[in-house]
Amino acid sequence: MQPENSLSAPVRARRMSVAPMLDWTDRHFRYLARQISRHAWLYSEMVHAGAIVHGDEARFLRKNDCENPVALQLGGCEPALLAAASKRVAAWGYDEINLNCGCPSPRVQKGAFGACLMNEVDLVADCLNAMQDAAPECEVTVKHRIGVDRQTEYQTVADFVGTLAEKTACKTFIVHARNAWLDGLSPKENREVPPLKYEYVYRLKREFPALEIIINGGIKTNGEAAAHLEYVDGVMVGREAYHNPMIMAAWDRLFYGSKQPETELGALVEKLYRYMAEQIAAGRGTAVRHMAKHYLGLMHGLPNARRWRRMLSDSSLLSANRPELILEAYSPEAA
């Protein structure tokens, strides 16, 4: 019998995952998330392929050994460059390499990647094939929207998925159930203004039953996640998992059948203290503030939350670079 926390196929399933979020889902946040859920699939923030190939590889690819199963999300639109980056990603021990076809930011548009790629499905196919050839040991997946600008017909996303399923080995599609508006909306507005069309994602699963279809966008509670799982293979949670990380504490029990006790906040704080001390001692320039910023939502809804947030965001307290700050900010009576 496989141990419960082994990386067997049922445990590795992307039944629940934490979305890639720029400036948020770095290795420090992923360490936190892994202490809360043993089984959830974690995603890095988006990294441009060129930054990996031409820049400081370790800066972008370093991870904690405990993170797996974990995916690295790449941005870019040049098959050769994406292939070169994918080879390096695989060497660092990531389980999955995800191609971003959903980001609508002006910077991404200028580079002609992200959501722009939904209008270039043949190029996306070339990119995915090049990535998979370069990193055969990793799963190569794609994250995308249901359409771009005023494309409102279901057939837009169905054709995108169907073409990639036919022309590539990609079997996992993570679908943000909103359009991406490339003109007239900010990135923040693109996460809120275009209407959610969950039914489009459900229909994709019905029409492409052999594919793994993951739904993303606007999911804020575990009850909502459970409802979506009646229709799709997995649920990806973004901002709620960041701002209220303890929502993940029930995931192993609710969605993976785990019998192990849920993470207790006091024990988690002790782990984070040891992690912070280890990271600082490693001497790579990591500071308390780099880690503490990800912990602000841990006491969401608890009596001591305001004091916790205040202490962990106080520049004068953070400047001392003492990992003990997290212990001082925590009050057991709030657990």
Side-chain angles (χ1 to χ4, degrees), residues 47-74:
V47 182
H48 192 277
I52 293 171
V53 175
H54 303 303
D56 182 353
E57 177 181 318
R59 173 188 170 194
F60 297 108
L61 299 183
R62 183 179 288 117
K63 66 181 185 65
N64 304 290
D65 291 339
C66 68
E67 288 183 33
N68 299 71
V70 60
L72 191 289
Q73 187 184 67
L74 283 178

Side-chain angles (χ1 to χ4, degrees), residues 23-24 26 28-29 242 275-277 279-280 284-296 309 311-326:
D23 297 326
W24 289 3
D26 63 13
H28 304 309
F29 176 76
Y242 187 86
Y275 174 76
M276 295 169 84
Q279 293 297 311
I280 293 169
R284 291 191 291 257
T286 302
V288 165
R289 61 185 174 84
H290 298 140
M291 297 170 278
K293 68 178 184 178
H294 299 305
Y295 307 158
L296 298 181
R309 291 193 305 269
M311 291 186 68
L312 293 186
S313 59
D314 186 313
S315 59
S316 62
L317 294 176
L318 292 169
S319 65
N321 209 34
R322 297 172 54 251
E324 290 79 11
L325 178 62
I326 192 173

Side-chain angles (χ1 to χ4, degrees), residues 161-207:
V161 170
T163 299
L164 295 180
E166 178 183 348
K167 293 187 173 184
T168 76
C170 182
K171 298 299 180 187
T172 299
F173 293 79
I174 303 165
V175 190
H176 187 157
R178 302 182 195 267
N179 274 40
W181 290 7
L182 302 182
D183 185 33
L185 292 182
S186 68
K188 180 180 185 295
E189 290 169 332
N190 257 294
R191 293 190 296 267
E192 300 168 351
V193 175
L196 287 160
K197 296 183 179 180
Y198 293 135
E199 65 275 13
Y200 281 18
V201 190
Y202 299 165
R203 186 173 171 185
L204 283 173
K205 182 58 188 176
R206 292 197 303 270
E207 295 187 3

Side-chain angles (χ1 to χ4, degrees), residues 5 27-28 30-38 64 66 246 252 260-280 291-292 295 298 308 323-324 326-327 330:
N5 64 347
R27 63 188 176 91
H28 304 309
R30 298 195 305 267
Y31 176 86
L32 165 66
R34 181 57 70 225
Q35 305 316 302
I36 300 173
S37 170
R38 301 172 184 90
N64 304 290
C66 68
M246 292 305 286
D252 293 352
Q260 294 188 23
E262 292 181 11
T263 300
E264 190 272 326
L265 185 57
L268 175 60
V269 169
E270 289 285 346
K271 285 184 179 180
L272 294 176
Y273 161 68
R274 292 193 295 271
Y275 174 76
M276 295 169 84
E278 291 167 1
Q279 293 297 311
I280 293 169
M291 297 170 278
Y295 307 158
L298 268 177
W308 169 268
E324 290 79 11
I326 192 173
L327 299 179
Y330 177 68

Side-chain angles (χ1 to χ4, degrees), residues 73-301:
Q73 187 184 67
L74 283 178
C77 60
E78 301 173 55
L81 189 61
L82 285 163
S86 295
K87 186 174 182 178
R88 300 185 187 199
V89 172
W92 279 80
Y94 287 84
D95 300 283
E96 172 192 335
I97 306 171
N98 178 263
L99 180 63
N100 184 314
C101 291
C103 181
S105 76
R107 185 176 65 178
V108 165
Q109 290 184 50
K110 187 176 180 180
F113 62 102
C116 300
L117 288 174
M118 287 203 68
N119 291 325
E120 303 286 347
V121 67
D122 290 334
L123 175 57
V124 175
D126 290 341
C127 290
L128 293 175
N129 286 331
M131 293 163 66
Q132 191 68 80
D133 289 345
E137 63 270 52
C138 287
E139 298 175 83
V140 173
T141 67
V142 60
K143 186 173 188 292
H144 57 93
R145 298 284 186 127
I146 58 172
V148 174
D149 294 323
R150 277 30 177 208
Q151 297 169 342
T152 59
E153 300 298 322
Y154 164 76
Q155 202 57 43
T156 298
V157 68
D159 289 345
F160 182 81
V161 170
T163 299
L164 295 180
E166 178 183 348
K167 293 187 173 184
T168 76
C170 182
K171 298 299 180 187
T172 299
F173 293 79
I174 303 165
V175 190
H176 187 157
R178 302 182 195 267
N179 274 40
W181 290 7
L182 302 182
D183 185 33
L185 292 182
S186 68
K188 180 180 185 295
E189 290 169 332
N190 257 294
R191 293 190 296 267
E192 300 168 351
V193 175
L196 287 160
K197 296 183 179 180
Y198 293 135
E199 65 275 13
Y200 281 18
V201 190
Y202 299 165
R203 186 173 171 185
L204 283 173
K205 182 58 188 176
R206 292 197 303 270
E207 295 187 3
F208 300 95
L211 300 179
E212 183 179 30
I213 303 295
I214 313 296
I215 197 167
N216 170 237
I219 300 163
K220 296 182 178 179
T221 70
N222 289 335
E224 292 172 8
H228 287 305
L229 287 169
E230 296 292 321
Y231 304 98
V232 294
D233 299 297
V235 170
M236 175 176 276
V237 180
R239 302 174 79 78
E240 189 66 25
Y242 187 86
H243 291 305
N244 180 19
M246 292 305 286
I247 192 177
M248 296 182 278
W251 286 7
D252 293 352
R253 173 178 57 84
L254 292 176
F255 304 118
Y256 291 92
S258 175
K259 303 300 182 184
Q260 294 188 23
E262 292 181 11
T263 300
E264 190 272 326
L265 185 57
L268 175 60
V269 169
E270 289 285 346
K271 285 184 179 180
L272 294 176
Y273 161 68
R274 292 193 295 271
Y275 174 76
M276 295 169 84
E278 291 167 1
Q279 293 297 311
I280 293 169
R284 291 191 291 257
T286 302
V288 165
R289 61 185 174 84
H290 298 140
M291 297 170 278
K293 68 178 184 178
H294 299 305
Y295 307 158
L296 298 181
L298 268 177
M299 298 191 72
H300 179 82

